[in-house]
Amino acid sequence: MKKIHIIGGGLAGPEAALQAASLGCQVILSEMRPLRSTEAHQTSDFAELVCSNSLKSESENSAPWLLKQEMRRANSFLLQAADATSVPAGHALAVDRALFSERVAALIVQHPNIEVRREEITHLNENDPNTITILASGPLTSSPLAQELQRLTGTEQLAFYDSISPIVDAATIDMDKVYFAARWDKGTADYINCPFTKPEYEAFIDALAAAEKIQHKSWEQIPTAEHPATDVSSRPERSEVERPASGPVTATTKPPQYFEGCLPIEEIARRGRDTLRFGPMKPAGLTDPKTGRWPYACVQLRQETLRADSYNLVGFQNSLKYGEQARILRMIPGLENATFLRYGQVHRNTYIHAPSLLTETLQLKQHLSILIAGQLSGVEGYTESIASGLLAGRYAAALARGEQPTPAPRLTANGSLTHYITHAETKHFQPANITFDLLVPLEEDLRKKIRDKKERHRIQCERALEAWDTWLNDSRL
């Protein structure tokens, strides 16, 4: 049996390693941290959650719920760790980041079929007949490895900007000005809500518009023919804000290309004064017990740890200078005297052009012994990255045994997500979260017969889980 070499200790890599190892394969898991870090990571831990601590909705018959249900039925090790380290988050699955990473690390270190190597990989041997490789190095893949991937694919990687939300010390929140509630009373009231009046919101928007932003450096730009990028990976480390991202260093640059699903708040505000009120500051369904009405706008805080000693500002990623963040975020009602344990950040992420490069079993079309998993493949989100790793680990296990893996069924959430990244329209390809838009729609006559959207989604979930169970049984993994 061939060995499996997995590169990357984020979310997809550990899940792939545990899947393949549990199926009897010998696995080498390489992670470059702490020998070399990135501008976004704060630790060298496996499965570090860089942005938020949420793995999205657990509401029955929602698309994120369906994806997780499929993963649970396939024995997802990271999802088990998430369930075991969950913190109150209404109808969402959120985790204590540190405990989650500790639990994943224990699973990896204790597994007899996994060898951990702390090393930076800069070369991929596509002709090694004894090894199946899974590249799960993430959106902050180091420059040498990204250049190596470009050598294999012959195409430029794309790029977008991803984000990190601020975290506040719970003890410094003025609880007299805020209230606990879940939107539309769905789930338990686990979110702290900071209500705005119209004058408070208008002042906040004005301050945001005038705030000084971090200027994106040349290493953060997307390559173009007019503006050469320089390799800064060997320069001394700078501050967290100014340290360069470890993306591919190719020829040139153009203005920032934001990922529309994770825009910084100042970019949202730039698109209209009320845009934030219909986005991350949406007050709908958040009745203030003091007034009996929805506030004009609202910022939600989500619990970070089991001790509830810190909260993150939901959807409040930004690229403001730290001093500006300290000033403007304290304009949020209840946070006037807040201590911020971490400020927001926006950083460059890279991903391959999956529609032209990947098969439905996540193999490079030109190098079938190399698989791509996680955000590098074009999926977006924690749960989606873990799901991608789960599939890659199972596919690699089949290849290691000399078998051709069978793709996850198109009817399923996992299959639909993979189908999107491998069949998307190539000109405007962007990473995707799991949504019902990606799933196979009901037949036209059934759609006409069933008008209720929730009932249609229930039927889609039911048939997806049936197809998933059949695939699990037939795949012999």
Side-chain angles (χ1 to χ4, degrees):
M1 184 185 293
K2 297 179 180 180
K3 67 180 178 182
I4 297 175
H5 185 196
I6 299 173
I7 303 168
L11 294 172
E15 179 67 38
L18 289 163
Q19 287 291 328
S22 69
L23 294 168
C25 299
Q26 294 299 312
V27 176
I28 297 170
L29 177 59
S30 296
E31 166 56 45
M32 71 177 185
R33 294 172 293 133
L35 301 178
R36 176 172 178 167
S37 190
T38 74
E39 86 290 348
H41 287 90
Q42 296 183 333
T43 75
S44 59
D45 298 340
F46 290 117
E48 179 184 342
L49 301 183
V50 173
C51 299
S52 78
N53 67 329
S54 172
L55 275 70
K56 299 180 184 173
S57 176
E58 285 280 65
S59 294
E60 190 173 4
N61 296 325
S62 66
W65 172 87
L66 174 60
L67 186 65
K68 288 195 282 288
Q69 288 301 100
E70 292 177 3
M71 294 163 65
R72 289 183 174 110
R73 294 186 182 200
N75 190 33
S76 168
F77 293 90
L78 265 67
L79 204 53
Q80 291 174 21
D83 288 335
T85 59
S86 63
V87 298
H91 64 285
L93 173 60
V95 303
D96 182 308
R97 297 174 198 249
L99 295 180
F100 174 69
S101 291
E102 288 175 11
R103 197 174 188 92
V104 173
L107 290 171
I108 292 170
V109 172
Q110 293 168 10
H111 204 293
N113 291 345
I114 299 177
E115 176 190 349
V116 174
R117 295 181 182 176
R118 296 288 182 168
E119 59 182 357
E120 182 182 3
I121 301 298
T122 60
H123 176 68
L124 299 171
N125 186 356
E126 67 272 27
N127 297 315
D128 185 349
N130 301 312
T131 304
I132 303 298
T133 300
I134 299 176
L135 184 55
S137 49
L140 294 172
T141 296
S142 68
S143 295
L145 184 55
Q147 289 174 329
E148 179 70 355
L149 182 57
Q150 288 179 320
R151 177 187 70 81
L152 291 180
T153 62
T155 61
E156 288 187 352
Q157 293 187 55
L158 306 179
F160 64 92
Y161 281 80
D162 203 4
S163 316
I164 295 173
S165 293
I167 296 177
V168 63
D169 184 340
T172 63
I173 301 171
D174 186 345
M175 300 305 294
D176 291 334
K177 295 186 176 181
V178 301
Y179 59 97
F180 280 91
R183 198 178 301 278
W184 304 111
D185 294 324
K186 292 178 65 176
T188 54
D190 299 321
Y191 288 79
I192 293 177
N193 296 274
C194 305
F196 282 74
T197 63
K198 183 175 182 179
E200 288 170 336
Y201 176 80
E202 295 289 346
F204 183 80
I205 294 299
D206 290 339
L208 199 57
E212 191 174 1
K213 304 170 183 63
I214 295 169
Q215 296 299 311
H216 296 296
K217 311 298 181 182
S218 61
W219 43 263
E220 289 188 298
Q221 305 302 316
I222 303 167
T224 67
E226 293 80 16
H227 303 286
T230 54
D231 187 349
V232 295
S233 59
S234 60
R235 296 181 187 174
E237 285 193 354
R238 309 175 196 174
S239 69
E240 183 180 355
V241 177
E242 297 178 345
R243 204 184 321 157
S246 302
V249 180
T250 53
T252 56
T253 64
K254 67 181 179 181
Q257 176 189 351
Y258 291 114
F259 174 48
E260 288 294 319
C262 202
L263 292 171
I265 56 171
E266 68 275 11
E267 173 65 15
I268 298 174
R270 188 186 66 80
R271 299 181 180 190
R273 291 189 68 82
D274 285 327
T275 311
L276 274 174
R277 290 206 309 123
F278 291 91
M281 296 179 70
K282 181 170 65 176
L286 296 172
T287 303
D288 187 339
K290 294 180 181 178
T291 64
R293 301 188 302 273
W294 298 345
Y296 187 77
C298 189
V299 172
Q300 287 199 301
L301 311 181
R302 180 173 54 223
Q303 185 174 329
E304 269 285 317
T305 64
L306 285 173
R307 297 190 303 274
D309 56 2
S310 60
Y311 282 76
N312 66 70
L313 280 65
V314 178
F316 254 58
Q317 57 273 356
N318 65 86
S319 58
L320 305 181
K321 289 191 173 183
Y322 282 6
E324 293 288 72
Q325 288 191 54
R327 177 177 64 86
I328 293 172
L329 295 180
R330 291 191 179 106
M331 295 176 68
I332 297 172
L335 303 188
E336 291 86 353
N337 298 301
T339 297
F340 289 94
L341 305 177
R342 184 184 74 184
Y343 287 109
Q345 186 181 341
V346 174
H347 56 86
R348 180 187 174 184
N349 280 0
T350 59
Y351 56 96
I352 67 168
H353 193 267
S356 61
L357 297 177
L358 289 188
T359 71
E360 286 191 341
T361 50
L362 303 178
Q363 297 168 268
L364 285 176
K365 293 177 180 178
Q366 302 302 317
H367 305 285
L368 295 175
S369 64
I370 298 178
L371 291 76
I372 310 293
Q375 284 188 252
L376 189 61
S377 72
V379 300
E380 171 63 22
Y382 292 152
T383 308
E384 290 85 346
S385 294
I386 298 170
S388 174
L390 182 151
L391 292 177
R394 297 174 74 90
Y395 294 153
L399 292 167
R401 291 201 296 259
E403 303 170 0
Q404 179 56 41
T406 303
R410 176 73 175 86
L411 281 175
T412 65
N414 275 276
S416 292
L417 185 60
T418 305
H419 184 272
Y420 165 77
I421 66 171
T422 56
H423 293 83
E425 191 275 321
T426 59
K427 188 175 181 180
H428 302 293
F429 174 63
Q430 272 211 346
N433 303 110
I434 186 62
T435 66
F436 276 106
D437 290 339
L438 301 186
L439 269 70
V440 178
L442 297 180
E443 295 76 10
E444 185 176 358
D445 59 339
L446 197 55
R447 291 201 304 272
K448 290 180 178 179
K449 181 180 179 181
I450 303 173
R451 298 290 185 179
D452 183 67
K453 184 169 69 173
K454 290 184 177 180
E455 178 61 13
R456 292 201 300 267
H457 287 173
R458 187 195 66 78
I459 295 174
Q460 284 180 286
C461 289
E462 187 177 78
R463 72 179 187 178
L465 291 173
E466 182 178 349
W468 181 255
D469 289 342
T470 300
W471 177 75
L472 288 177
N473 291 331
D474 292 348
S475 64
R476 301 189 304 279
L477 291 176

